[in-house]
Amino acid sequence: MSKTKRILVTGGAGFLGSHLCERLVSQQHDVICVDNFFTSQKINVVHLLNEPNFEFIRHDITHPLFLEVDEIYNLACPAAPGHYQYNPIKTMKTSVVGAINLLGMAKRCNAKILQASTSEVYGDPDVHPQPESYRGNVNPIGIRACYDEGKRAAETLFMDYHRMNRVNTRIVRIFNTFGPRMHPFDGRVVSNFIRQSLAGQDITIFGEGNQTRSFCYRDDLVEGIIRLMNASDEITFPVNIGNPEEFTIRQLAELAIELTQSSSQLIYKPLPDDDPTRRKPDIALAQKHLNWTPTIELREGLERTIEWFQNIDPEKYRPPTPNF
Ligand code: NAD
Ligand code: UDP
């Protein structure tokens, strides 16, 4: 039997999705990329459009879609706080109605389906680092809830479609990931700090900068989710993928200044509501079941990302929302 699979990637024009599409196209799979371009644009996949095994469909996953596929990676969802808070009701619909539509497709086609979930399901964690068994501390009525609770509900749907309909499901809980092709105007901390330091502008630290994040480089992340999709059918439980090296936001700002040799100054702005104070993945499950461990340290990943930012024309990027 041929190993070539028909693979649907939703959110495939986004930061992570476009890199995933590239990897799957290079493995000779027949790749269908679906995206509504809310937080991305054609520029991310234009180099794939002439590939015989790549196809793009502009579509919103909150509406039903009928395709015949073997595997589905569901990455469609705004991921940066400013983007998902712009239209929170739409964000929730994308996670929940989108998951129902795609799980229905997986059930009909007997396809394997992977959900891009998030470390946000742990909320502002009171267990550190966060193992998958930790049930989280999410404010269900706060400004991050449209995303956090939407992703939690999607996990519930994945588990229920698996238990009730035997759909072959996977759930990856992605921790902060960065790299080339991040939207320069997504308002996330890595893109903001690089953009600001390259332009010699003030670096905006929210709060005192003591909050922590653990940053995973894009290539490591994509390798992890492909391994999860191809892992044993027993692995239907959520698996954390992230880099456990933890940094304060102030340390990140200082590193961005150092690597860009910038004269930017740090300025302090109010901390947004419900901003998690710390975040670090426990990756024991990924190491055990996927034999996966991150290989690219923050410094090296930042160097590559800075190089990409130096070579793009920001004028070609439309800010998806005013929040950056
Ligand atoms: P991104 O915003 O670059 O990509 C998301 C893509 O989904 C975009 O291309 C966007 O246009 C598309 N999209 C949004 N709503 C859609 C809809 N209703 N229908 C069709 N397409 C839609 O973000 P990313 O960082 O590449 O994130 C990809 C996935 O990974 C998301 O599901 C996100 O929640 C998850 N994730 C990312 C991170 C991270 O640090 N990058 C962390 C945790 C989880
Ligand atoms: N942050 C910051 N300055 C910025 C953007 C973000 O200090 O210009 C902080 C933000 O408050 C959070 C952390 O950086 O504590 C990571 O923010 P991001 O939006 O990248 O992702 P999150 O992990 O919060 O979803």
Side-chain angles (χ1 to χ4, degrees):
M1 201 178 88
S2 159
K3 285 198 180 136
T4 301
K5 290 176 280 197
R6 299 162 301 174
I7 304 182
L8 168 62
V9 180
T10 75
F15 159 52
L16 296 176
S18 59
H19 189 62
L20 175 63
C21 285
E22 249 168 48
R23 288 278 308 266
L24 298 171
V25 164
S26 73
Q27 291 169 1
Q28 301 308 316
H29 296 298
D30 188 357
V31 177
I32 307 172
C33 168
V34 161
D35 205 296
N36 69 353
F37 287 142
F38 170 36
T39 58
S40 59
Q41 48 200 60
K42 203 169 165 186
I43 198 170
N44 286 351
V45 287
V46 77
H47 59 294
L48 295 173
L49 292 177
N50 284 333
E51 297 291 338
N53 55 336
F54 180 82
E55 191 180 348
F56 178 81
I57 301 173
R58 186 169 185 143
H59 175 83
D60 187 316
I61 62 156
T62 61
H63 301 289
L65 175 68
F66 291 88
L67 296 167
E68 305 301 322
V69 293
D70 304 306
E71 285 181 358
I72 304 169
Y73 288 85
N74 183 29
L75 272 65
C77 187
H83 292 167
Y84 66 66
Q85 288 164 18
Y86 177 71
N87 184 344
I89 298 168
K90 180 63 194 268
T91 299
M92 181 68 96
K93 279 188 187 169
T94 296
S95 279
V96 176
V97 181
I100 291 171
N101 286 333
L102 293 160
L103 284 159
M105 185 191 294
K107 182 180 167 196
R108 178 176 54 77
C109 299
N110 200 19
K112 208 192 294 186
I113 180 167
L114 176 145
Q115 167 67 0
S117 190
T118 168
S119 52
E120 284 285 315
V121 301
Y122 303 122
D124 188 7
D126 38 28
V127 169
H128 194 74
Q130 294 82 54
E132 293 83 347
S133 55
Y134 175 52
R135 293 183 188 176
N137 176 33
V138 172
N139 173 3
I141 55 169
I143 56 169
R144 295 175 86 102
C146 60
Y147 183 71
D148 303 6
E149 297 290 14
K151 291 283 190 181
R152 286 168 70 98
E155 288 197 7
T156 307
L157 284 161
F158 268 66
M159 293 309 299
D160 285 335
Y161 268 77
H162 173 67
R163 282 187 287 254
M164 195 172 159
N165 299 123
R166 310 309 307 159
V167 174
N168 191 343
T169 53
R170 312 291 150 117
I171 298 172
V172 56
R173 290 185 180 156
I174 302 171
F175 283 65
N176 295 61
T177 303
F178 71 101
R181 227 180 273 149
M182 298 188 82
H183 198 298
F185 303 109
D186 66 8
R188 286 190 261 200
V189 69
V190 173
S191 32
N192 269 9
F193 286 4
I194 293 179
R195 206 169 33 76
Q196 291 162 343
S197 38
L198 285 175
Q201 295 166 349
D202 289 340
I203 297 206
T204 52
I205 294 198
F206 299 163
E208 293 179 7
N210 296 327
Q211 70 271 38
T212 68
R213 294 293 186 273
S214 305
F215 298 99
C216 186
Y217 188 66
R218 174 200 72 175
D219 299 42
D220 280 334
L221 188 284
V222 169
E223 174 66 26
I225 66 175
I226 291 176
R227 284 190 192 205
L228 178 59
M229 181 64 106
N230 294 327
S232 143
D233 288 348
E234 308 300 308
I235 320 283
T236 55
F237 45 81
V239 178
N240 288 340
I241 297 282
N243 189 322
E245 259 198 290
E246 188 181 5
F247 294 85
T248 67
I249 294 305
R250 202 176 321 105
Q251 284 174 319
L252 178 73
E254 284 159 0
L255 193 52
I257 290 175
E258 180 199 322
L259 295 177
T260 54
Q261 298 174 346
S262 173
S263 55
S264 291
Q265 305 294 313
L266 306 186
I267 59 161
Y268 294 86
K269 298 215 160 190
L271 189 67
D273 283 350
D274 295 333
D275 200 290
T277 44
R278 53 193 184 159
R279 188 182 283 157
K280 169 180 166 145
D282 177 330
I283 59 166
L285 284 185
Q287 287 172 322
K288 177 174 171 202
H289 295 290
L290 312 180
N291 193 24
W292 177 87
T293 203
T295 58
I296 298 168
E297 289 181 359
L298 178 62
R299 173 178 284 270
E300 185 186 346
L302 277 181
E303 282 168 354
R304 294 188 198 183
T305 312
I306 289 166
E307 194 185 337
W308 181 80
F309 270 78
Q310 282 169 325
N311 286 301
I312 58 160
D313 176 2
E315 295 285 314
K316 291 199 172 139
Y317 289 80
R318 165 186 56 85
T321 73
N323 311 329
F324 58 87

